PDB file of all heavy atoms in Angstrom:
ATOM      1  N   GLN A 173     -10.140 -26.252 -29.938  1.00 81.00           N
ATOM      2  CA  GLN A 173     -10.570 -27.819 -29.947  1.00 81.00           C
ATOM      3  C   GLN A 173      -9.353 -28.639 -29.895  1.00 81.00           C
ATOM      4  O   GLN A 173      -9.392 -29.715 -29.199  1.00 81.00           O
ATOM      5  CB  GLN A 173     -11.473 -27.964 -31.108  1.00 81.00           C
ATOM      6  CG  GLN A 173     -11.922 -29.475 -31.253  1.00 81.00           C
ATOM      7  CD  GLN A 173     -12.972 -29.839 -30.164  1.00 81.00           C
ATOM      8  OE1 GLN A 173     -13.420 -28.865 -29.436  1.00 81.00           O
ATOM      9  NE2 GLN A 173     -13.109 -31.051 -29.875  1.00 81.00           N
ATOM     10  N   ARG A 174      -8.405 -28.316 -30.689  1.00 81.00           N
ATOM     11  CA  ARG A 174      -7.107 -29.012 -30.611  1.00 81.00           C
ATOM     12  C   ARG A 174      -6.502 -29.158 -29.275  1.00 81.00           C
ATOM     13  O   ARG A 174      -6.079 -30.167 -28.695  1.00 81.00           O
ATOM     14  CB  ARG A 174      -6.113 -28.491 -31.555  1.00 81.00           C
ATOM     15  CG  ARG A 174      -6.263 -29.054 -33.022  1.00 81.00           C
ATOM     16  CD  ARG A 174      -5.123 -28.670 -33.897  1.00 81.00           C
ATOM     17  NE  ARG A 174      -5.112 -29.210 -35.143  1.00 81.00           N
ATOM     18  CZ  ARG A 174      -4.201 -29.044 -36.146  1.00 81.00           C
ATOM     19  NH1 ARG A 174      -3.198 -28.308 -35.861  1.00 81.00           N
ATOM     20  NH2 ARG A 174      -4.288 -29.761 -37.229  1.00 81.00           N
ATOM     21  N   GLU A 175      -6.444 -27.988 -28.554  1.00 82.00           N
ATOM     22  CA  GLU A 175      -5.919 -27.961 -27.225  1.00 82.00           C
ATOM     23  C   GLU A 175      -6.672 -28.615 -26.289  1.00 82.00           C
ATOM     24  O   GLU A 175      -6.229 -29.483 -25.447  1.00 82.00           O
ATOM     25  CB  GLU A 175      -5.857 -26.472 -26.822  1.00 82.00           C
ATOM     26  CG  GLU A 175      -4.746 -25.666 -27.518  1.00 82.00           C
ATOM     27  CD  GLU A 175      -4.777 -24.209 -27.010  1.00 82.00           C
ATOM     28  OE1 GLU A 175      -5.612 -23.854 -26.156  1.00 82.00           O
ATOM     29  OE2 GLU A 175      -3.984 -23.345 -27.508  1.00 82.00           O
ATOM     30  N   ARG A 176      -8.043 -28.647 -26.405  1.00 77.00           N
ATOM     31  CA  ARG A 176      -8.941 -29.370 -25.457  1.00 77.00           C
ATOM     32  C   ARG A 176      -8.760 -30.957 -25.755  1.00 77.00           C
ATOM     33  O   ARG A 176      -8.656 -31.749 -24.829  1.00 77.00           O
ATOM     34  CB  ARG A 176     -10.453 -29.172 -25.751  1.00 77.00           C
ATOM     35  CG  ARG A 176     -10.701 -27.674 -25.193  1.00 77.00           C
ATOM     36  CD  ARG A 176     -12.221 -27.539 -25.292  1.00 77.00           C
ATOM     37  NE  ARG A 176     -12.760 -27.337 -26.609  1.00 77.00           N
ATOM     38  CZ  ARG A 176     -12.912 -26.250 -27.279  1.00 77.00           C
ATOM     39  NH1 ARG A 176     -12.340 -25.133 -26.790  1.00 77.00           N
ATOM     40  NH2 ARG A 176     -13.278 -26.264 -28.536  1.00 77.00           N
ATOM     41  N   GLN A 177      -8.545 -31.279 -27.102  1.00 76.00           N
ATOM     42  CA  GLN A 177      -8.389 -32.750 -27.332  1.00 76.00           C
ATOM     43  C   GLN A 177      -7.066 -33.204 -26.901  1.00 76.00           C
ATOM     44  O   GLN A 177      -6.865 -34.301 -26.321  1.00 76.00           O
ATOM     45  CB  GLN A 177      -8.437 -33.060 -28.823  1.00 76.00           C
ATOM     46  CG  GLN A 177      -9.973 -32.906 -29.377  1.00 76.00           C
ATOM     47  CD  GLN A 177     -10.055 -33.389 -30.777  1.00 76.00           C
ATOM     48  OE1 GLN A 177      -9.079 -33.724 -31.343  1.00 76.00           O
ATOM     49  NE2 GLN A 177     -11.296 -33.433 -31.266  1.00 76.00           N
ATOM     50  N   ALA A 178      -6.041 -32.250 -26.959  1.00 75.00           N
ATOM     51  CA  ALA A 178      -4.690 -32.800 -26.414  1.00 75.00           C
ATOM     52  C   ALA A 178      -4.643 -32.870 -24.989  1.00 75.00           C
ATOM     53  O   ALA A 178      -4.144 -33.780 -24.379  1.00 75.00           O
ATOM     54  CB  ALA A 178      -3.697 -31.680 -26.866  1.00 75.00           C
ATOM     55  N   ALA A 179      -5.424 -32.051 -24.249  1.00 71.00           N
ATOM     56  CA  ALA A 179      -5.433 -32.100 -22.815  1.00 71.00           C
ATOM     57  C   ALA A 179      -6.328 -33.347 -22.405  1.00 71.00           C
ATOM     58  O   ALA A 179      -5.903 -34.024 -21.559  1.00 71.00           O
ATOM     59  CB  ALA A 179      -6.263 -30.781 -22.193  1.00 71.00           C
ATOM     60  N   ALA A 180      -7.389 -33.683 -23.147  1.00 67.00           N
ATOM     61  CA  ALA A 180      -8.220 -34.864 -22.924  1.00 67.00           C
ATOM     62  C   ALA A 180      -7.294 -36.097 -23.120  1.00 67.00           C
ATOM     63  O   ALA A 180      -7.429 -37.045 -22.449  1.00 67.00           O
ATOM     64  CB  ALA A 180      -9.391 -34.756 -23.832  1.00 67.00           C
ATOM     65  N   SER A 181      -6.422 -36.014 -24.227  1.00 69.00           N
ATOM     66  CA  SER A 181      -5.522 -37.117 -24.458  1.00 69.00           C
ATOM     67  C   SER A 181      -4.581 -37.421 -23.376  1.00 69.00           C
ATOM     68  O   SER A 181      -4.333 -38.532 -22.924  1.00 69.00           O
ATOM     69  CB  SER A 181      -4.822 -36.907 -25.745  1.00 69.00           C
ATOM     70  OG  SER A 181      -3.873 -38.066 -26.033  1.00 69.00           O
ATOM     71  N   VAL A 182      -4.050 -36.253 -22.762  1.00 69.00           N
ATOM     72  CA  VAL A 182      -3.142 -36.372 -21.602  1.00 69.00           C
ATOM     73  C   VAL A 182      -3.861 -37.027 -20.543  1.00 69.00           C
ATOM     74  O   VAL A 182      -3.367 -37.836 -19.819  1.00 69.00           O
ATOM     75  CB  VAL A 182      -2.488 -35.105 -21.376  1.00 69.00           C
ATOM     76  CG1 VAL A 182      -1.674 -35.138 -20.045  1.00 69.00           C
ATOM     77  CG2 VAL A 182      -1.544 -34.565 -22.485  1.00 69.00           C
ATOM     78  N   LEU A 183      -4.964 -36.475 -20.192  1.00 66.00           N
ATOM     79  CA  LEU A 183      -5.867 -36.984 -19.025  1.00 66.00           C
ATOM     80  C   LEU A 183      -6.145 -38.477 -19.221  1.00 66.00           C
ATOM     81  O   LEU A 183      -6.088 -39.326 -18.274  1.00 66.00           O
ATOM     82  CB  LEU A 183      -7.086 -36.219 -19.039  1.00 66.00           C
ATOM     83  CG  LEU A 183      -8.064 -36.694 -17.889  1.00 66.00           C
ATOM     84  CD1 LEU A 183      -7.431 -36.577 -16.514  1.00 66.00           C
ATOM     85  CD2 LEU A 183      -9.342 -35.835 -17.910  1.00 66.00           C
ATOM     86  N   HIS A 184      -6.489 -38.879 -20.466  1.00 68.00           N
ATOM     87  CA  HIS A 184      -6.745 -40.292 -20.759  1.00 68.00           C
ATOM     88  C   HIS A 184      -5.516 -41.144 -20.501  1.00 68.00           C
ATOM     89  O   HIS A 184      -5.729 -42.215 -19.908  1.00 68.00           O
ATOM     90  CB  HIS A 184      -7.143 -40.301 -22.181  1.00 68.00           C
ATOM     91  CG  HIS A 184      -7.594 -41.772 -22.556  1.00 68.00           C
ATOM     92  ND1 HIS A 184      -8.764 -42.402 -22.198  1.00 68.00           N
ATOM     93  CD2 HIS A 184      -6.803 -42.716 -23.298  1.00 68.00           C
ATOM     94  CE1 HIS A 184      -8.799 -43.744 -22.671  1.00 68.00           C
ATOM     95  NE2 HIS A 184      -7.703 -43.790 -23.284  1.00 68.00           N
ATOM     96  N   LYS A 185      -4.376 -40.667 -20.871  1.00 68.00           N
ATOM     97  CA  LYS A 185      -3.195 -41.477 -20.717  1.00 68.00           C
ATOM     98  C   LYS A 185      -2.810 -41.586 -19.247  1.00 68.00           C
ATOM     99  O   LYS A 185      -2.401 -42.697 -18.613  1.00 68.00           O
ATOM    100  CB  LYS A 185      -1.982 -40.851 -21.451  1.00 68.00           C
ATOM    101  CG  LYS A 185      -2.126 -41.029 -22.978  1.00 68.00           C
ATOM    102  CD  LYS A 185      -1.010 -40.315 -23.626  1.00 68.00           C
ATOM    103  CE  LYS A 185      -1.178 -40.439 -25.191  1.00 68.00           C
ATOM    104  NZ  LYS A 185      -0.047 -39.754 -25.971  1.00 68.00           N
ATOM    105  N   LEU A 186      -3.022 -40.525 -18.469  1.00 67.00           N
ATOM    106  CA  LEU A 186      -2.695 -40.487 -17.099  1.00 67.00           C
ATOM    107  C   LEU A 186      -3.654 -41.333 -16.309  1.00 67.00           C
ATOM    108  O   LEU A 186      -3.355 -42.060 -15.439  1.00 67.00           O
ATOM    109  CB  LEU A 186      -2.685 -39.003 -16.549  1.00 67.00           C
ATOM    110  CG  LEU A 186      -1.644 -38.045 -17.021  1.00 67.00           C
ATOM    111  CD1 LEU A 186      -1.834 -36.694 -16.412  1.00 67.00           C
ATOM    112  CD2 LEU A 186      -0.249 -38.539 -16.492  1.00 67.00           C
ATOM    113  N   ALA A 187      -4.915 -41.222 -16.721  1.00 60.00           N
ATOM    114  CA  ALA A 187      -5.985 -41.999 -16.081  1.00 60.00           C
ATOM    115  C   ALA A 187      -5.667 -43.472 -16.352  1.00 60.00           C
ATOM    116  O   ALA A 187      -5.984 -44.248 -15.316  1.00 60.00           O
ATOM    117  CB  ALA A 187      -7.332 -41.565 -16.551  1.00 60.00           C
ATOM    118  N   GLY A 188      -5.133 -43.842 -17.451  1.00 62.00           N
ATOM    119  CA  GLY A 188      -4.822 -45.246 -17.712  1.00 62.00           C
ATOM    120  C   GLY A 188      -3.762 -45.827 -16.865  1.00 62.00           C
ATOM    121  O   GLY A 188      -3.679 -46.945 -16.631  1.00 62.00           O
ATOM    122  N   GLN A 189      -2.976 -44.961 -16.256  1.00 63.00           N
ATOM    123  CA  GLN A 189      -1.812 -45.367 -15.408  1.00 63.00           C
ATOM    124  C   GLN A 189      -2.285 -45.408 -13.895  1.00 63.00           C
ATOM    125  O   GLN A 189      -1.419 -45.890 -13.132  1.00 63.00           O
ATOM    126  CB  GLN A 189      -0.648 -44.369 -15.641  1.00 63.00           C
ATOM    127  CG  GLN A 189      -0.013 -44.407 -16.963  1.00 63.00           C
ATOM    128  CD  GLN A 189       0.331 -45.813 -17.496  1.00 63.00           C
ATOM    129  OE1 GLN A 189       0.957 -46.461 -16.831  1.00 63.00           O
ATOM    130  NE2 GLN A 189      -0.056 -46.193 -18.753  1.00 63.00           N
ATOM    131  N   ILE A 190      -3.391 -44.832 -13.623  1.00 70.00           N
ATOM    132  CA  ILE A 190      -3.821 -44.773 -12.204  1.00 70.00           C
ATOM    133  C   ILE A 190      -4.653 -46.010 -11.914  1.00 70.00           C
ATOM    134  O   ILE A 190      -5.518 -46.427 -12.664  1.00 70.00           O
ATOM    135  CB  ILE A 190      -4.696 -43.568 -11.908  1.00 70.00           C
ATOM    136  CG1 ILE A 190      -3.863 -42.333 -12.113  1.00 70.00           C
ATOM    137  CG2 ILE A 190      -5.312 -43.639 -10.565  1.00 70.00           C
ATOM    138  CD1 ILE A 190      -4.518 -41.050 -11.903  1.00 70.00           C
TER     139      ILE A 190
END
Side-chain angles (χ1 to χ4, degrees):
Q173 179 66 15
R174 274 191 171 181
E175 291 178 357
R176 287 190 293 274
Q177 288 190 355
S181 176
V182 171
L183 176 61
H184 180 75
K185 292 178 181 178
L186 291 175
Q189 299 304 311
I190 295 175

